[in-house]
Amino acid sequence: MAIAMASASFSLQLKAIEKCRAFDSPTSKLAPAAGFGPFSSVAVSFSQGRLSSSRTSLVTRASSATALEDGGPSEADEIPTPKVIIDQDSDPNATIVEITFGDRLGALLDTMNALKNLGLNVVKANVFLDPSGKHNTFSITKGDTGRKVVEPELLEAIRLTIINNLLEYHPESSAQLAMGVAFGAVPPTHQVDVDIATHITVSNDGPERSLLYVEAADRPGLLVDLVKIITDINISVESGEFDTEGLLAKAKFHVSYRGEAIIKPLQQVLANSLRYFLRRPTTEEASF
């Protein structure tokens, strides 16, 4: 059932993505966001502490002049790991999106236009540099209400729109993104083993909420699926962060049950439900 819903949701997201074509420059870091409600009107808000990052590299050459608008890399350049972070914790009034691809991104004006085509406002854009590269950050609100984005489906559409534009304007990134399999110029050279990549932990985060951490192989619709599984067992998602880092997805959710931290038995139920769902595709294929 969850897979069917994810499939339907992703097809809607792809339609939104087709309207948005662009990825030509970066933004920087944005502020935190608010929380999740029931799944029918889920409010997604993501993160105070940054999730840990890793760095993998492949040697490839960009095949598009557009992708190299800010100065093209040489053939010997290391391809950095593309990262898209959706932060719902940092700003109570806006959803923060951060995009990083080494120092290869420009001003991302086309990406901002693509987000506007989803009915969103980019109220602030920043760029900052650190040893890992250039970080482009956007503060985003809904165009009709001026409030932060809380619907999982729209948050996933934002994520997939950004990745789609990255694939279009920086085709060398496709070898390190899950969507590169279907839409990239160069598909990933290896697939992530879901059993090895899947990590789930639940810990206390004060008397009124718990902290859920999920790391898994990325795939379209994953954010929506995770929120649905959590809320299907009557656990509320208050806020969090969802990171796309190469072929992996890393999510951190602040969750609660009836306004309190999740007790140990329910923590185990939650972890088992997520683990079953995330590993199920490989298990089912192997059973035939």
Side-chain angles (χ1 to χ4, degrees), residues 106-128:
L108 298 182
L109 298 178
D110 288 328
T111 294
M112 287 192 278
N113 288 332
L115 293 173
K116 290 177 182 176
N117 288 340
L118 292 178
L120 304 169
N121 292 328
V122 178
V123 296
K124 184 168 63 174
N126 295 308
V127 177
F128 70 91

Side-chain angles (χ1 to χ4, degrees), residues 11 20 25 58 68 94 101 105 108 144 148 151-152 156-157 165 168 221 223 241 249 282:
S11 62
C20 321
S25 45
L58 299 171
L68 307 180
F101 189 43
L105 300 179
L108 298 182
D144 56 349
K148 72 187 299 176
E151 298 85 357
E156 180 71 344
N165 287 343
E168 179 177 353
L223 191 158
E241 177 180 317
T282 297

Side-chain angles (χ1 to χ4, degrees), residues 62-266:
S63 59
S64 160
T66 308
L68 307 180
E69 59 180 344
D70 285 339
S74 69
E75 289 189 17
D77 277 351
E78 227 181 43
I79 304 301
T81 300
K83 295 174 64 176
V84 178
I85 296 171
I86 297 178
D87 178 0
Q88 292 286 75
D89 276 345
S90 306
D91 190 331
N93 301 311
T95 295
I96 306 304
V97 175
E98 181 180 320
I99 308 165
T100 306
F101 189 43
D103 59 358
R104 300 186 177 211
L105 300 179
L108 298 182
L109 298 178
D110 288 328
T111 294
M112 287 192 278
N113 288 332
L115 293 173
K116 290 177 182 176
N117 288 340
L118 292 178
L120 304 169
N121 292 328
V122 178
V123 296
K124 184 168 63 174
N126 295 308
V127 177
F128 70 91
L129 299 173
D130 67 14
S132 68
K134 185 188 295 184
H135 302 257
N136 302 334
T137 307
F138 302 105
S139 296
I140 298 173
T141 60
K142 295 181 68 174
D144 56 349
T145 64
R147 297 181 179 180
K148 72 187 299 176
V149 180
V150 295
E151 298 85 357
E153 295 85 357
L154 185 51
L155 289 168
E156 180 71 344
I158 291 171
R159 184 176 81 97
L160 297 182
T161 295
I162 292 170
I163 292 174
N164 181 72
N165 287 343
L166 181 56
L167 290 170
E168 179 177 353
Y169 288 91
H170 293 272
E172 73 274 22
S173 68
S174 68
Q176 299 189 51
L177 289 166
M179 283 182 64
V181 175
F183 305 105
V186 180
T189 56
H190 68 281
Q191 297 297 313
V192 175
D193 186 309
V194 294
D195 290 320
I196 296 174
T198 301
H199 301 282
I200 301 167
T201 61
V202 187
S203 59
N204 291 332
D205 189 27
E208 297 182 350
R209 66 182 189 179
S210 300
L211 180 63
L212 167 65
Y213 175 79
V214 180
E215 181 173 331
D218 188 29
R219 61 175 178 263
L222 182 59
L223 191 158
V224 176
D225 292 339
L226 290 177
V227 173
K228 184 181 186 305
I229 292 167
I230 296 168
T231 55
D232 273 353
I233 53 179
N234 297 319
I235 292 175
S236 300
V237 181
E238 300 174 2
S239 64
E241 177 180 317
F242 193 94
D243 298 359
T244 305
E245 185 175 327
L247 298 174
L248 296 176
K250 300 178 180 181
K252 181 179 71 175
F253 299 107
H254 298 291
V255 296
S256 64
Y257 179 71
R258 296 183 177 178
E260 297 182 352
I262 301 174
I263 61 174
K264 290 292 183 181
L266 188 53

